[in-house]
Amino acid sequence: MLFDEEDVPLLKIILSQFIQRSGFAYDFLQKKIDLASIDDTHDLIQKMLDLMADDGLSDCEAQAIVDWLDRVFQFSFRVEMEHCHRLVDGVAVNLLLYPYTHRMIYLHGFRHVLQQAFAETVVHAMMGIGELAEVLQMVKESAETTNPSDLYGDDPVGAEYQQRDANVVQFLSDNPEIRHYVERRTGATIEEIWGITKGDFDEKKLNP
């Protein structure tokens, strides 16, 4: 088997954890977990940086690998979401300094702000998925392909779009009402739009 030079640090970590029978890579390969915790992901990236420094990789090469790991594990996104959760918890703690009635008045307004943000994301998700499905149908026809993955490049940007499509399929699988809206709007089934079979959709997976 041949591997690119930039894959060596990650392969070293995976093999060392597998031999030691510990760490995220080992647990993932043994199917003990589906996704690393934020701390485990940070630890994995830090180990990668240490190995790359020992192997003499340039800063540009190291940054490219770190950026790739960030996309694979959605690390920055998950960290930001964790910060949002902590901010909400912090609001709750600060409100303990006020009388109960005042707390409830503030929380009512705070919940309204969150509900408004949630409603906006729902609307944007529905409209965005509908527009995405229409564009994919049109571009696939001109490109003479049935799989949207063929439209993306074989690079980190292409991988990001493939992950986007996988997330959309998962979202539509969990929300049949939105799925029906998208199918009515495009005049095609989700299986046809994303080039998947019925069985694949039921299992919430895209074709490779």
Side-chain angles (χ1 to χ4, degrees), residues 68-86:
W68 175 75
L69 286 172
D70 182 62
R71 291 191 189 94
V72 169
F73 295 110
Q74 304 288 291
F75 181 67
S76 294
F77 174 79
R78 292 164 60 203
V79 168
E80 285 301 314
M81 288 302 299
E82 180 66 23
H83 288 166
C84 290
H85 292 155
R86 290 179 180 177

Side-chain angles (χ1 to χ4, degrees), residues 4 7 15-16 29-32 38 71 107 118 123 125 132 134 140 156 161 171 181-182 189 193 195 198 204 206:
D4 292 333
D7 294 334
L15 291 174
S16 65
L29 290 172
Q30 295 298 306
K31 298 183 178 179
K32 294 181 179 180
I38 291 178
R71 291 191 189 94
L107 278 181
F118 172 72
V123 172
L132 171 64
E134 288 180 333
K140 283 194 309 176
Y161 278 99
F171 181 80
Y181 158 76
V182 172
T189 66
I193 297 169
K198 186 62 167 65
K204 305 174 186 177
L206 284 172

Side-chain angles (χ1 to χ4, degrees), residues 121-138 164-165 168-169 171-172 177-190 193-194:
T121 58
V122 169
V123 172
H124 286 305
M126 290 182 61
M127 299 301 294
I129 293 175
E131 293 174 359
L132 171 64
E134 288 180 333
V135 170
L136 287 179
Q137 279 294 90
M138 178 180 63
R164 185 275 314 273
D165 283 354
V168 168
V169 170
F171 181 80
L172 293 173
E177 299 86 358
I178 300 180
R179 174 187 179 178
H180 295 153
Y181 158 76
V182 172
E183 290 180 335
R184 287 196 305 269
R185 176 169 175 169
T186 59
T189 66
I190 298 305
I193 297 169
W194 274 277

Side-chain angles (χ1 to χ4, degrees), residues 10-27:
L10 181 58
L11 290 171
K12 284 183 178 179
I13 291 176
I14 292 175
L15 291 174
S16 65
Q17 291 191 1
F18 197 72
I19 292 172
Q20 296 169 5
R21 297 176 178 271
S22 64
F24 161 67
Y26 174 76
D27 291 339

